[in-house]
Amino acid sequence: MRIETEFPYAVTDEPNVGIVMPDGCRLSARVWRAEGAGRVPAILEYIPYRKRDGTAVRDALMHPWMAGQGYAVLRVDMRGNGESDGLMADEYTPQELSDAVAVIDWIAAQDWCSGAVGMMGKSWGGFNCLQVAALRPEALRAVVTVCSTTDRFADDVHFKGGCLLGENLGWGAVMLSFSSRPPDPVLRADWKTVWLERLAAEPFLAPVWARAQARGAYWRHGSVCENWSAIGAKVLSFGGWADGYMNTPAAIVSHVQGAQGIVGPWVHQYPHMAVPGPAIGFLQVARRWWDRWLKGEANGAEGDPAYRVWMMDSAPPDASAAHRPGAWIAEAALPSPRVARRELALGAGGRLGGAGVAEARIATPQHMGLMAGEYFPMGLNAELPGDQRGEDALSVCFDGDVLETPLALLGAARLHLRLSSDRPLGFVAARLCDVGPDGSSVRIAHGVLNLCHAADRADPCRLTPGAVMEVAFDLDQMAYRLAAGHRLRLALSNAYWPLIWPSPEAGVLSLSGGRLSLPVHEGPGADEWVPPEAVASMPLKQAQIEPGHAERRIERDLLTGRVTLVVEDRSALVENEEHGLVTQERMDERWTIHPDDPASAHVRITWEQRLAREGWAVRTEGFAEMWGEDDHFVMTGEVVAHEGSHEISRRTWREVVPRDFV
């Protein structure tokens, strides 16, 4: 990534601009503006992650650069976070979205704004870009959304295919920790009063999300797929094949008029700083979008290919891959005329595309899935899926013939299965893998289906044990080219820990047939799109006091047989040299299960946040824990806050969540 320091305009930086909501709540904004440019369009990033410390590193790499191109850029902390007033209740609430509309109205009315506003954001910020666009505030002309979703039930961090994700508790633990921090006393003299109010009102959201086990009104709110036509702004969507939100760009391009999508090999990061490489010039691509739709420049951005993706080539499995070989392909529209469906029967003897009828007993050991990687990986700490051959050995596999020529895939594979379950609750997980000549196995794409949701996600029902059912579901989007000499493998399981929380009983699925529908692409030649080089503005000036440390390991207790995935991550202790705030965070996760007993599933997550400056130090500890019984889950949470050496607040939760369909 190349650092740029010279821009068309000098940039001013205001760290704590107040924006007052209609109810009197003051939100805090950091504003970068192009000096001497007159009235310019504005770009809003609106998230809860604390501009003073939480996103300060990435903000420094992006927002001054964009302001220097002749824009005003605002990083606004949502109410209840950072230096903003108020309290936060949940994700994507009507209050959050109403505040966003009010912020946009405020921006458009400023004497430095041209009246045209755009929104950008990653993850939470990418979600509310789309949700606010569906509300159609008058000034909002365009959005750039990164690593987001259009369906909060089908494709978010809580449920997938109707299955409860382990990361539902993980994200609940993150929010307990992130929301427990106080404002910076340099910017708010009343920091302690605000902090105590936040601690007293902080919600434990993991059980709230887990209770909503069907796609009802709770999840339909904020799911823009409910009404695609409501989105009036021009949408540019970015995703990453290593991220949990890789499906969104294709969905948006397919349903939103004039939208474009770009997907690289990336994790859950902005594309100019993401791994695996190649990174791209995200800022220049975004500027081209803003210049067209906010400034009205006739630069031809609307004629760029609708769907540009990095088609990955076969490579050895690597959970910390810094780069993925491949090529950029560009499609004018979706569905692509260069894609044809190929139907492969699940044949007898485990042959994919073979003759006969597949008959198999799927009864997977409960620890299958430890090599799945993170749901949304952030970097290179072995967070990507590793070699799948051990997972494949625990699964029911169907292998294709050794390829004589490369096989290119673009889109979502669809799997049809005929099966029955011996239990009233259960799910099936499918992995599409690239098997090399040496037997190594790389996960290309995966999908899961809670069988209770097979007929209706909004009205699931328990299974009738022994009853044969026909089910069909899509795997995730992909762009992948298998090399000659490799084989395509479909692996089926009814456990996928800790990605999916296990069923209450170790059931058996009896498979009696099926087929796989593959989206086969003509294949790329040379790169069909050449993105600009990754650039950024000057990095944040920080002094490292202590280095960070990360570990990821699997432990097996030889006495009890339990298997534990351990994830430890301690950030560096750093001082922000611009304003002197010292920060550090620490996270520990332990995901434990016995291979023979789904009821043994247990997770405990610990977070610690430290903030300090001369004469002032605070620390918060957050704990979240979960286990399951036959008919319910138990979730516990705790937040402990310290000022100096004194404990000033302790909150605890114990929630029992009925298991209706998971």
Side-chain angles (χ1 to χ4, degrees):
M1 184 166 59
R2 178 167 54 83
I3 302 302
E4 295 187 344
T5 57
E6 298 294 328
F7 309 121
Y9 296 94
V11 177
T12 63
D13 179 0
E14 300 173 87
N16 186 29
V17 175
I19 304 176
V20 179
M21 297 294 95
D23 64 356
C25 180
R26 178 191 183 275
L27 304 187
S28 177
R30 186 174 183 180
V31 183
W32 295 263
R33 289 198 289 125
E35 187 176 355
R39 295 166 66 89
V40 298
I43 301 163
L44 167 65
E45 185 178 20
Y46 170 70
I47 46 179
Y49 300 139
R50 297 171 58 93
K51 58 185 171 54
R52 191 68 164 168
D53 45 58
T55 63
V57 170
R58 80 179 193 204
D59 291 348
L61 295 171
M62 294 193 299
H63 298 327
W65 189 96
M66 195 64 70
Q69 313 305 312
Y71 287 91
V73 183
L74 295 89
R75 245 297 276 119
V76 176
D77 279 340
M78 290 165 24
R79 66 170 67 203
N81 296 275
E83 280 68 54
S84 292
D85 289 346
L87 302 170
M88 194 176 74
D90 199 348
E91 301 173 316
Y92 322 121
T93 62
Q95 181 69 67
E96 173 187 332
L97 303 183
S98 175
D99 284 351
V101 171
V103 168
I104 290 169
D105 291 344
W106 180 92
I107 294 170
Q110 300 309 297
D111 59 9
W112 41 258
C113 182
S114 68
V117 179
M119 281 188 78
M120 65 168 287
K122 176 180 77 74
S123 198
W124 194 312
F127 283 42
N128 64 36
C129 277
L130 296 173
Q131 294 164 3
V132 174
L135 298 177
R136 294 197 170 211
E138 183 178 355
L140 184 63
R141 311 288 172 80
V143 302
V144 174
T145 178
V146 180
C147 299
S148 62
T149 194
T150 63
D151 190 326
R152 293 184 58 215
F153 184 71
D155 227 10
D156 196 3
V157 73
H158 312 298
F159 289 87
K160 187 178 181 71
C163 301
L164 179 63
L165 292 169
E167 194 57 33
N168 179 77
L169 184 84
W171 187 240
V174 168
M175 290 313 298
L176 275 182
S177 179
F178 280 18
S179 299
S180 68
R181 293 170 290 181
D184 187 343
V186 168
L187 296 183
R188 293 203 63 152
D190 61 348
W191 69 271
K192 188 169 182 178
T193 299
V194 172
W195 189 27
L196 291 173
E197 289 173 351
R198 289 180 186 174
L199 291 168
E202 182 164 5
F204 182 33
L205 291 170
V208 174
W209 302 323
R211 283 192 177 92
Q213 294 169 28
R215 194 178 184 279
Y218 181 84
W219 299 115
R220 290 197 300 271
H221 167 75
S223 292
V224 297
C225 63
E226 291 291 301
N227 182 9
W228 295 106
S229 63
I231 298 175
K234 298 298 183 181
V235 180
L236 175 59
S237 174
F238 288 85
W241 297 130
D243 184 41
Y245 299 138
M246 75 287 285
N247 297 316
T248 299
I252 288 177
V253 168
S254 299
H255 293 97
V256 178
Q257 183 67 33
Q260 295 179 12
I262 298 174
V263 189
W266 312 307
V267 297
H268 193 73
Q269 297 283 15
Y270 277 103
H272 59 309
M273 58 184 79
V275 292
I280 68 167
F282 166 76
L283 293 175
Q284 302 98 304
V285 175
R287 181 189 61 193
R288 179 172 168 83
W289 197 250
W290 301 132
D291 286 349
R292 176 66 186 91
W293 302 115
L294 301 186
K295 290 184 176 179
E297 294 184 4
N299 60 12
E302 71 274 22
D304 291 343
Y307 193 55
R308 288 161 278 178
V309 302
W310 183 254
M311 179 171 279
M312 297 188 293
D313 286 335
S314 291
D318 184 353
S320 296
H323 182 88
R324 282 302 308 261
W328 285 105
I329 65 170
E331 301 293 339
L334 292 180
S336 167
R338 298 194 289 175
V339 171
R341 284 280 163 180
R342 181 180 300 176
E343 305 291 323
L344 298 176
L346 307 191
R351 288 283 307 282
L352 183 60
V357 177
E359 294 186 354
R361 181 177 182 271
I362 304 174
T364 315
Q366 298 299 315
H367 67 301
M368 205 296 288
L370 294 173
M371 298 304 292
E374 293 290 333
Y375 184 74
F376 41 68
M378 302 294 286
L380 293 179
N381 293 327
E383 297 175 60
L384 308 180
D387 193 335
Q388 302 290 292
R389 75 179 93 188
E391 314 273 64
D392 296 350
L394 302 176
S395 306
V396 171
C397 294
F398 294 86
D399 285 0
D401 294 333
V402 175
L403 295 169
E404 296 182 0
T405 59
L407 173 65
L409 304 170
L410 176 69
R414 186 161 181 83
L415 181 60
H416 300 257
L417 298 174
R418 182 187 306 113
L419 48 74
S420 64
S421 170
D422 69 342
R423 297 290 187 271
L425 297 177
F427 67 87
V428 61
R431 290 175 294 115
L432 204 59
C433 296
D434 172 6
V435 181
D438 62 353
S440 63
S441 179
V442 174
R443 196 184 77 185
I444 302 171
H446 73 288
V448 295
L449 176 66
N450 181 338
L451 296 172
C452 297
H453 286 248
D456 191 340
R457 289 182 299 164
D459 187 22
C461 61
R462 292 191 169 222
L463 307 175
T464 300
V468 176
M469 56 194 304
E470 302 271 355
V471 303
F473 61 101
D474 289 337
L475 278 63
D476 287 328
Q477 292 281 329
M478 59 186 168
Y480 195 96
R481 182 169 55 179
L482 290 87
H486 288 227
R487 286 177 295 147
L488 186 66
R489 170 175 291 164
L490 175 69
L492 302 176
S493 64
N494 63 343
Y496 205 16
W497 172 261
L499 186 75
I500 304 297
W501 198 270
S503 304
E505 299 177 280
V508 176
L509 301 179
S510 297
L511 180 69
S512 55
R515 71 182 191 277
L516 178 68
S517 177
L518 283 177
V520 178
H521 190 270
E522 293 175 3
D527 277 338
E528 299 171 357
W529 177 53
V530 180
E533 174 190 8
V535 302
S537 41
M538 186 65 70
L540 181 69
K541 293 181 179 179
Q542 294 189 115
Q544 180 174 289
I545 302 168
E546 295 177 4
H549 176 74
E551 290 189 18
R552 188 182 186 94
R553 61 185 184 273
I554 296 171
E555 299 176 349
R556 183 183 300 273
D557 189 318
L558 298 179
L559 294 178
T560 67
R562 289 175 179 259
V563 180
T564 301
L565 173 65
V566 180
V567 183
E568 299 174 352
D569 193 353
R570 185 187 70 216
S571 73
L573 180 68
V574 295
E575 179 180 356
N576 184 317
E577 294 184 345
E578 292 181 358
H579 53 64
L581 189 64
V582 176
T583 57
Q584 185 180 46
E585 63 183 28
R586 178 181 60 85
M587 180 272 289
D588 296 300
E589 298 181 347
R590 297 186 66 86
W591 302 82
T592 299
I593 201 164
H594 191 285
D596 300 331
D597 183 10
S600 66
H602 181 275
V603 57
R604 179 170 173 81
I605 301 173
T606 302
W607 276 88
E608 182 181 65
Q609 301 285 345
R610 292 177 177 267
L611 296 92
R613 53 174 65 255
E614 187 175 356
W616 179 81
V618 298
R619 176 171 62 92
T620 67
E621 298 171 293
F623 307 93
E625 196 168 8
M626 178 177 173
W627 63 93
E629 306 290 349
D630 288 346
D631 59 357
H632 65 271
F633 300 111
V634 180
M635 299 183 184
T636 66
E638 184 174 35
V639 172
V640 185
H642 304 263
E643 181 183 2
S645 60
H646 302 290
E647 179 182 311
I648 64 164
S649 174
R650 181 180 292 263
R651 294 275 310 286
T652 60
W653 297 263
R654 188 181 192 278
E655 301 284 344
V656 175
V657 177
R659 297 182 79 138
D660 294 328
F661 302 107
V662 294

